[in-house]
Amino acid sequence: MKVQRLLFILFISAAFLNACSNGNPSGDVTVLFQPKYAKGFRVVKSGNDTLIQFLNPSHSDSPTVSYTVSLSKINPERIALLSTTHSYFINALNGMNNVCGVTYADRIQLANLQEQIQNGRAQNLTKNGDVNQEDLLMLNPTVLFSVPFEPTDYRSKLRDCSIIPTSEYLEEHPLGKAEWLYVFGYILRKDVLAKELFLEIESEYLDAMQDSSKDASQGSAKVFFATNNGSDWTVANNQSYWAILLKDAGAEYVGATEGKGNLNFDKERMLFALNEADAYGELVYFPNTSNVSLSQLHPEFTQSGPFLHKKLFLCNAANNGFFDKALLEPHILLQELKKVLSDSTFSGYYFQHTQ
């Protein structure tokens, strides 16, 4: 069922991109901003107008424009956000006062946003796990940060609203996810601040990466990383986010093959990968739980190398905002990952050593 659900989401995403495609704008364009790491957008000049072009992620070698917004037509006075991640980008740019609605407000750990919701200046748009369409329409936002696989055609429902398809989660490079700060910066008319914030994040990430290169001269640890789904495990391919993050931490990512998208491992494939690794890490989700033991979760693996030698670590996404605010902290993720791989007693905000 999980595989079918993933295929459905990818299908809807592709359909959305095709449906909203404007193609390449006519006439000559000048690229004003080309991201270093992100593949999903760029900013161009066309005539007297500045445009954000959203690019089809499946054609990263020769990107095609799937959607375009004109900055001259955007009024960021009233912003609605359909993903929890969007709130952290907006907050970093001091734009929370412009936000009138968010989804899954209970999951967003921002005191200023919670205050706005309590005093009625912003509204939680989620009801019974879904976006309350009626509430969203009544808010009448001027800007809506949407997600590409969202099946609702908000352009027809909110005709005076600028729809921004935000796909930072599709970026493979940790800095690519953070680089979407520029999109939010241009929309909020705070592109200078966005640049300052990103360059600071990039600098700290590259510093940690440089230190990793020095440490790796003595030999790289072979690390395997996965997420348990109950009956099987999700494993990232060796060109993906986890592979890049582990490589930048000075480790060698093992257990996955070439290709795109996540892989599914059964117990047999897991055992083979674990026996190739020096250390094993797992992304888990246990709300309000501080002591999670991988040995207790997976007794079937206790005779594999990482379990025998206690080279185990985890990231509990339920407690640390890994899926939202961590997108703006790739440098901290990298710093902590280095420490947890070298120090068997380390316990950080995102990564913890475990038994």
Side-chain angles (χ1 to χ4, degrees):
M1 291 298 293
K2 291 181 179 295
V3 174
Q4 291 176 335
R5 182 173 181 270
L6 176 60
L7 290 174
F8 174 77
I9 289 175
L10 292 175
F11 174 80
I12 291 297
S13 177
F16 174 85
L17 290 172
N18 289 330
C20 69
S21 175
N22 292 341
N24 288 292
S26 60
D28 295 332
V29 299
T30 301
V31 177
L32 298 179
F33 175 72
Q34 181 68 50
K36 292 183 184 179
Y37 310 94
K39 305 296 184 182
F41 74 93
R42 67 187 173 200
V43 182
V44 302
K45 189 80 171 179
S46 179
N48 295 322
D49 205 358
T50 300
L51 312 171
I52 301 180
Q53 295 180 332
F54 297 92
L55 309 178
N56 192 329
S58 63
H59 299 88
S60 57
D61 294 333
S62 181
T64 57
V65 179
S66 60
Y67 188 78
T68 299
V69 296
S70 169
L71 290 181
S72 65
K73 298 179 181 179
I74 291 177
N75 172 19
E77 181 180 356
R78 293 175 54 78
I79 299 175
L81 311 172
L82 294 190
S83 171
T84 58
T85 62
H86 302 162
S87 299
Y88 294 91
F89 284 92
I90 293 288
N91 188 63
L93 294 166
N94 302 319
M96 196 58 73
N97 286 335
N98 296 63
V99 173
C100 63
V102 299
T103 55
Y104 304 101
D106 57 313
R107 303 180 187 178
I108 302 173
Q109 301 174 16
L110 293 170
N112 52 348
L113 174 60
Q114 295 301 331
E115 182 180 350
Q116 285 183 211
I117 293 174
Q118 290 176 7
N119 62 28
R121 291 193 296 117
Q123 185 173 346
N124 183 8
L125 296 172
T126 304
K127 185 177 182 180
N128 298 324
D130 295 316
V131 178
N132 189 315
Q133 301 288 338
E134 183 178 347
D135 287 348
L136 176 58
L137 295 178
M138 289 182 63
L139 276 181
N140 194 29
T142 56
V143 172
L144 175 69
F145 283 92
S146 66
V147 286
F149 59 81
E150 170 62 54
T152 304
D153 181 10
Y154 287 111
R155 288 186 299 165
S156 63
K157 294 178 178 294
L158 296 166
R159 296 188 178 278
D160 296 325
C161 178
S162 299
I163 311 299
I164 314 298
T166 314
S167 57
E168 80 296 328
Y169 65 94
L170 292 177
E171 301 290 347
E172 299 285 17
H173 200 290
L175 286 172
K177 296 179 185 294
E179 206 165 16
W180 276 73
L181 262 171
Y182 283 96
V183 172
F184 289 86
Y186 276 102
I187 298 299
L188 288 169
R189 309 291 193 266
K190 295 185 178 184
D191 49 297
V192 175
L193 176 58
K195 179 179 180 180
E196 291 175 357
L197 291 174
F198 178 75
L199 290 180
E200 183 177 347
I201 293 170
E202 180 191 35
S203 177
E204 292 196 43
Y205 188 96
L206 294 178
D207 284 346
M209 181 178 163
Q210 184 64 32
D211 292 339
S212 299
S213 299
K214 296 177 182 177
D215 298 337
S217 62
Q218 300 177 355
S220 300
K222 295 181 178 180
V223 181
F224 181 44
F225 198 92
T227 303
N228 181 242
N229 301 317
S231 60
D232 61 3
W233 284 260
T234 296
V235 178
N237 69 72
N238 63 1
Q239 298 177 1
S240 64
Y241 175 85
W242 283 109
I244 294 171
L245 192 63
L246 283 163
K247 178 185 176 183
D248 290 347
E252 178 184 350
Y253 181 57
V254 299
T257 57
E258 298 282 349
K260 294 184 178 181
N262 292 327
L263 310 172
N264 285 89
F265 277 28
D266 57 17
K267 177 182 175 181
E268 184 177 355
R269 292 187 71 183
M270 284 291 295
L271 282 169
F272 179 81
L274 286 167
N275 285 321
E276 293 289 314
D278 300 316
Y280 173 64
E282 187 166 304
L283 182 67
V284 301
Y285 196 90
F286 290 99
N288 305 315
T289 304
S290 57
N291 297 318
V292 178
S293 169
L294 292 183
S295 295
Q296 292 181 7
L297 286 176
H298 310 303
E300 66 271 34
F301 298 145
T302 54
Q303 296 305 308
S304 65
F307 282 78
L308 282 172
H309 299 107
K310 309 299 182 184
K311 298 288 186 178
L312 305 171
F313 66 97
L314 56 81
C315 173
N316 189 351
N319 296 339
N320 57 27
F322 173 80
F323 290 114
D324 37 55
K325 71 175 182 177
L327 272 63
L328 289 174
E329 298 182 337
H331 53 301
I332 297 178
L333 287 169
L334 183 59
Q335 293 163 3
E336 288 197 3
L337 187 55
K338 287 177 53 185
K339 292 178 181 178
V340 80
L341 289 174
S342 60
D343 183 355
S344 61
T345 65
F346 178 76
S347 179
Y349 184 72
Y350 289 109
F351 294 105
Q352 299 86 38
H353 176 79
T354 185
Q355 296 296 321

